[in-house]
Amino acid sequence: MILQMIPRSAFRRLLATSPALTACLLGVMVERLREADRWYADLAVASPKLRFYRLLYRLVQCEGTEKPGGIELAGISHLDLAGWCGISRESVGRRIAELQQAGVLAQDRRHMRLLIPDPERLRELTRERPS
């Protein structure tokens, strides 16, 4: 990946002369704002279990790598997951154990990897259920 900074004035000129680029960047920004809004709503009203499932599914979509046998999430600790969804590390361990028992994921703690064989099953868990 190559990252380069350009002066603000050059960036503004680029946006002014390229409506397609401007529209594309605006679309990305709007989607990120919507995602942040959904995440804040989850933090406010969703149960800890539901927040964890939704976080895990978002990570599968954004950070997952296709491997034989499913989608892999690598390099993410229980502490990372706990902090991101506002629950304890112990709760993360319990949720992962539940998902393993249900066959929704496999875990390799030694190498900090999770394998989700069928992301659709995980997605089903992200749907809000009436009480």
Side-chain angles (χ1 to χ4, degrees):
M1 175 195 274
I2 297 174
L3 180 65
Q4 187 172 358
M5 301 279 291
I6 63 172
R8 178 181 298 178
S9 59
F11 183 67
R12 285 184 175 177
R13 277 193 309 276
L14 179 62
L15 292 178
T17 59
S18 178
L21 175 63
T22 303
C24 181
L25 286 175
L26 189 57
V28 168
M29 289 173 37
V30 166
E31 184 52 40
R32 287 188 180 178
L33 285 170
R34 283 184 182 144
E35 179 65 23
D37 191 48
R38 283 190 294 267
W39 185 242
Y40 291 135
D42 273 357
L43 284 173
V45 298
S47 70
K49 182 186 267 190
L50 188 58
R51 285 196 315 261
F52 178 72
Y53 293 161
R54 287 178 177 172
L55 170 69
L56 204 55
Y57 186 68
R58 285 182 189 117
L59 289 171
V60 164
Q61 291 178 301
C62 299
E63 305 295 327
T65 305
E66 278 202 49
K67 298 284 184 179
I71 304 294
E72 181 183 78
L73 295 174
I76 301 171
S77 71
H78 286 197
L79 194 57
D80 291 334
L81 293 168
W84 292 335
C85 62
I87 63 176
S88 70
R89 187 177 52 80
E90 293 77 14
S91 292
V92 168
R94 284 192 297 274
R95 298 288 87 83
I96 287 176
E98 289 169 2
L99 292 174
Q100 279 184 287
Q101 191 171 20
V104 175
L105 67 76
Q107 175 180 222
D108 178 357
R109 284 196 71 164
R110 184 182 210 195
H111 297 103
M112 289 179 29
R113 289 189 301 224
L114 298 174
L115 184 69
I116 295 82
D118 183 4
E120 183 59 29
R121 284 185 65 197
L122 178 60
R123 187 175 76 81
E124 288 296 319
L125 295 172
T126 68
R127 296 205 174 122
E128 194 121 27
R129 307 239 186 333
S131 303

